[in-house]
Amino acid sequence: MDCFLASALLLVLQTYAAPPEILQVGFGITVGPVNVSGDVPSSPPPGTNKRAPHSIIIGVRKGGTRALLEMLDIHPEVAVAATEVHFFDWDENYAKGFEWYRELMPYSYPNQITVEKTPGYFTSALAPERICAMNSSIKLLLILRDPAERVISDYTQVYFNRLENHKPVQAIENLLVRNGALNIRYKAIQRSLYDIHMCNWLRHFPLEQIHIVDGDALIRDPLPELQKVERFLNLPPRIVSTNFYFNQTKGFYCIRSDGRERCLHESKGRPHPAVNSTVLQQLRSYLKEHNRTFFRLVKRTFDWQ
């Protein structure tokens, strides 16, 4: 019943074009080189190939997907895609075909697994079916944080992007509330209805193939969450506590690997705006029942307000 109601709401909230013909691709398949750009391809490292992903970080937007990918990249048996591909959620990219998608994957050695991340997959109506058609056994990573905080973070990213592009901005309260009521059609709120989107994924994948990373816990203490991911992906334990250090200036953990130290881009971890307490309570109250439904679906709870 939970998923039936969620499916009905998803249809109301979102409109997508019908998917083009789906290409069946086996797990871990390797195919010959394809030059999608027309340029002369550079020579790959000997013994490597571009492979379909063994695992995909499917979301959620502003949940910590970039941090998770960068931290997984520490592992010597992981090869990560450099960019968000948006193959399974954007019709114009999906129409380009699987060869185009595979060409965007990194070169990897036979002992490595390939991982790509596109946060938009989680909220896409079509991505679960399309990914399942590629590989019904693929392992999926979903990183989530408190859904109300995710809404505010979503707004913050758009706010700064608009400022940088000299576009007008609105106070968050003007987007969250319309005519005195919570504006549930605001995309940032729709993306935080985790139960609705999870139902769509569970129609195509068993829960055992979807590992949920606690994004709030990853921020507080990365190592335990990364160790859980290693086990889920059947990777040998290679990520250790010395791979992380707390940056007092930025206020979050950064990465230490191969003698180098690096932090996430300055656009990550921006301070959130203060939100009117009444509006914030309105948002949390609306999300509360959706959170309860999500907890039932995934058979675990999270420390969300």
Side-chain angles (χ1 to χ4, degrees):
M1 180 60 73
D2 288 335
C3 281
F4 175 79
L5 293 174
S7 299
L9 185 53
L10 183 64
L11 289 173
V12 171
L13 294 177
Q14 302 186 55
T15 302
Y16 290 88
E21 184 178 6
I22 294 174
L23 178 64
Q24 299 283 342
V25 183
F27 175 68
I29 190 169
T30 303
V31 286
V34 176
N35 186 7
V36 296
S37 65
D39 300 330
V40 177
S42 58
S43 298
T48 65
N49 238 314
K50 293 190 174 186
R51 298 175 172 86
H54 301 76
S55 179
I56 299 177
I57 300 174
I58 59 174
V60 64
R61 171 182 161 109
K62 304 311 296 177
T65 58
R66 173 54 59 181
L68 178 59
L69 188 77
E70 294 281 350
M71 291 173 181
L72 271 178
D73 196 28
I74 296 170
H75 201 291
E77 294 184 21
V78 172
V80 304
T83 60
E84 294 178 6
V85 183
H86 287 284
F87 179 64
F88 299 104
D89 61 333
W90 289 1
D91 288 343
E92 60 269 31
N93 283 347
Y94 194 68
K96 295 174 184 177
F98 181 77
E99 302 301 326
W100 178 88
Y101 175 63
R102 182 204 55 84
E103 186 63 19
L104 295 177
M105 295 301 107
Y107 284 103
S108 61
Y109 291 96
N111 67 317
Q112 292 181 308
I113 66 169
T114 298
V115 179
E116 79 115 323
K117 76 103 176 173
T118 300
Y121 290 162
F122 182 58
T123 56
S124 165
L126 297 177
E129 181 180 0
R130 290 171 171 179
I131 292 175
C132 186
M134 178 188 74
N135 177 8
S136 61
S137 301
I138 197 166
K139 294 192 172 186
L140 304 170
L141 294 169
L142 172 62
I143 180 166
L144 300 175
R145 61 189 297 200
D146 182 308
E149 291 298 318
R150 198 220 64 80
V151 169
I152 300 169
S153 185
D154 198 319
Y155 163 83
T156 303
Q157 175 173 293
V158 174
Y159 175 86
F160 279 101
N161 286 345
R162 293 184 69 85
L163 280 183
E164 289 165 3
N165 289 291
H166 309 290
K167 293 181 178 180
V169 295
Q170 295 187 63
I172 188 171
E173 289 84 358
N174 294 341
L175 296 170
L176 287 173
V177 177
R178 292 285 168 84
N179 300 319
L182 192 70
N183 177 22
I184 63 173
R185 296 190 66 82
Y186 178 32
K187 285 185 178 180
I189 293 178
Q190 292 179 23
R191 294 185 186 110
S192 280
L193 305 182
Y194 298 157
D195 58 325
I196 292 175
H197 307 299
M198 194 68 186
C199 280
N200 195 24
W201 286 90
L202 291 176
R203 279 198 294 273
H204 300 279
F205 294 96
L207 185 59
E208 293 72 26
Q209 277 177 238
I210 306 174
H211 176 71
I212 301 175
V213 179
D214 187 332
D216 299 306
L218 187 76
I219 293 170
R220 292 191 302 268
D221 187 6
L223 184 58
E225 289 299 311
L226 268 295
Q227 290 174 329
K228 292 173 189 174
V229 173
E230 282 180 323
R231 291 192 290 270
F232 174 70
L233 297 178
N234 296 319
L235 291 168
R238 295 290 183 269
I239 301 175
V240 295
S241 60
T242 53
N243 288 132
F244 308 103
Y245 68 97
F246 190 79
N247 186 303
Q248 296 288 349
T249 303
K250 291 182 175 291
F252 53 78
Y253 279 91
C254 295
I255 299 167
R256 183 185 290 117
S257 177
D258 298 326
R260 297 184 299 114
E261 295 182 351
R262 66 185 190 276
C263 292
L264 296 180
H265 189 267
E266 62 184 14
S267 65
K268 306 298 181 181
R270 283 169 168 161
H272 289 177
V275 183
N276 177 279
S277 58
T278 302
V279 173
L280 184 57
Q281 185 55 44
Q282 232 178 322
L283 174 63
R284 292 195 184 280
S285 295
Y286 174 72
L287 292 172
K288 199 167 188 178
E289 189 54 41
H290 284 281
N291 294 344
R292 288 197 190 105
T293 303
F294 178 75
F295 296 161
R296 289 196 297 269
L297 289 174
V298 301
K299 300 178 174 58
R300 62 182 285 196
T301 60
F302 294 83
D303 187 20
W304 299 335
Q305 295 185 42

